[in-house]
Amino acid sequence: MSTIVLPRIMEVGGGSIARLPQILKNIGSKKPLIVTDNMMIQLGYLDKLQSILQDLGIESEVYADTVPEPTAVSIQAGIEKVKCGLFDAVIALGGGSPIDSAKAIAVMGKLGGIINDYRFPRQVNEQGLPIIAIPTTAGTGSECTRFTIITDEKTDEKLLCAGAGFMPVAAIIDYELTLSVPARTTADTGIDAMTHAIEAYVSRKANPYSDSQAIAAMKLIGPNLRKVYHDGSNKAAREAMMLGSTLAGIAFSNASVALVHGMSRPVGAFFHVPHGLSNAMLLPAVTRFSLESAKTRYAECARALTFAKLTDNDDTACEKLLTTLDDLNVALSVPTPAQFGVDKKHFLAVVEKMAKQAEASGSPGNNPKVPTIAEMVAIYKQLWND
């Protein structure tokens, strides 16, 4: 038996951002707070959003000081804004970081406390302000998940926060908002979405519902990831990636991610590696580690992603999966930690601490093969092949 949690309203398709006023009407919102970042201002997306609202006489205010890989400090001013204002909803506009920030702001602005009060394993099912999520990248799937990730700067730890309270009440899935995303971000967010789908499918918490979403996501992402990286104006590929990202988000929100994400978060917290990039760095090594414990499932992933033929047996499909994941990192110019600028000495000095933080997040416990601290340390060290 599985409990499935989804947004109440989902508007999907090019131009669906125009449906925002109707969504606000449906949830009874008359004064929303828009949570976004400076990139959305520069690209003109915030102006577009506010003009849609102004045309219908809807008053809104903006909090645009979110940062990549949001922290307890970066969201505090937004929380204070909610506490002091008469807002009745939060609109999240941007990639995963503004959406994650908006989730925390909507919940903590109403319920109070500090971010550590909300960390996993607590299930935050209390409702904050209703959240409307409008993603502008095809990657995190955060618009339809019951999770948010906020870094505690005091400990350099990314805190996983979970519960129905973080699930947006509505999501607008408009692929046209991704057409301006640069190639590097397109690759990073696309690999993040692919990782969500794979991990949801091999997770120990997988269920028939999440399986159906994960497979559908992989069928959309696998054939289109390279296309959008090389040609960001390819609308058909952009639309496929956007829908694939949302389906992958639904899949992992209802099945949980596993070892890649558990190990990826500390790399981001300690070395400020973007989340999709740290996933990409780890995905091949973690897949090799986990493969024998879920061979049939990984083979099905390879076929759904079109990395293997439908007629390939499990052994062949798994070999093709491993080879293609390595090749994909090359094709999408994914840097190694050294190429990214991570200091090897510092990395090795904190590697055990990272492994312990990964374990504490709970995600490695969902992996087909549950690792020890020593095994996670060994996987981290594989990222340095010099």
Side-chain angles (χ1 to χ4, degrees), residues 89-362:
V90 170
I91 298 170
L93 174 69
S97 294
I99 296 177
D100 275 0
S101 299
K103 288 180 175 184
I105 288 167
V107 170
M108 295 174 66
K110 185 172 180 181
L111 302 180
I114 61 172
I115 194 64
N116 265 281
D117 297 335
Y118 296 88
R119 69 181 298 168
F120 182 85
R122 176 181 171 184
Q123 288 296 309
V124 183
N125 294 322
E126 307 95 316
Q127 293 301 307
L129 292 181
I131 304 158
I132 301 164
I134 308 173
T136 59
T137 61
T140 69
S142 192
E143 69 275 6
C144 55
T145 75
R146 53 187 177 85
F147 302 109
T148 189
I149 308 286
I150 305 293
T151 299
D152 180 354
E153 302 98 324
K154 294 176 183 175
T155 59
D156 276 334
E157 184 176 4
K158 280 194 174 185
L159 304 181
L160 171 65
C161 306
F166 294 113
M167 175 63 74
V169 68
I172 295 177
I173 318 299
D174 186 343
Y175 78 89
E176 291 179 359
L177 300 177
T178 70
L179 292 172
S180 61
V181 176
R184 177 72 270 142
T185 307
T186 294
D188 296 348
T189 52
I191 292 172
D192 191 21
M194 182 178 71
T195 307
H196 290 153
I198 293 171
E199 291 213 292
Y201 196 69
V202 302
S203 169
R204 288 170 175 259
K205 293 183 179 176
N207 57 73
Y209 181 86
S210 63
D211 284 352
S212 67
Q213 308 301 299
I215 288 291
M218 285 186 272
K219 287 180 178 179
L220 290 164
I221 294 167
N224 289 293
L225 182 49
R226 283 183 174 88
K227 289 180 185 176
V228 290
Y229 176 70
H230 292 296
D231 179 11
S233 64
N234 185 327
K235 289 188 175 183
R238 285 287 196 189
E239 186 169 19
M241 287 298 297
M242 192 64 159
L243 182 56
S245 170
T246 297
L247 293 174
I250 291 171
F252 90 78
S253 184
N254 291 287
S256 293
V257 286
L259 184 55
V260 176
H261 275 75
M263 293 182 65
S264 173
R265 293 184 202 110
V267 175
F270 275 96
F271 301 102
H272 308 292
V273 179
H275 177 65
L277 263 188
S278 54
N279 277 348
M281 291 172 181
L282 285 158
L283 183 58
V286 170
T287 304
R288 284 189 186 87
F289 170 81
S290 310
L291 199 65
E292 289 300 324
S293 297
K295 202 162 200 176
T296 298
R297 290 229 148 205
Y298 278 112
E300 288 166 353
C301 289
R303 297 184 193 106
L305 288 161
T306 66
F307 296 171
K309 296 177 182 176
L310 295 177
T311 53
D312 286 336
N313 64 32
D314 286 358
D315 285 341
T316 301
C318 285
E319 279 302 314
K320 288 184 177 179
L321 177 63
L322 292 174
T323 301
T324 308
L325 291 178
D326 285 329
D327 291 347
L328 196 58
N329 278 3
V330 174
L332 301 184
S333 301
V334 173
T336 63
Q339 290 166 341
F340 185 80
V342 174
D343 180 75
K344 184 177 181 180
K345 188 175 180 181
H346 184 198
F347 187 95
L348 295 179
V350 298
V351 72
E352 189 155 336
K353 187 174 182 180
M354 290 197 297
K356 288 177 179 176
Q357 286 186 2
E359 184 178 64
S361 76

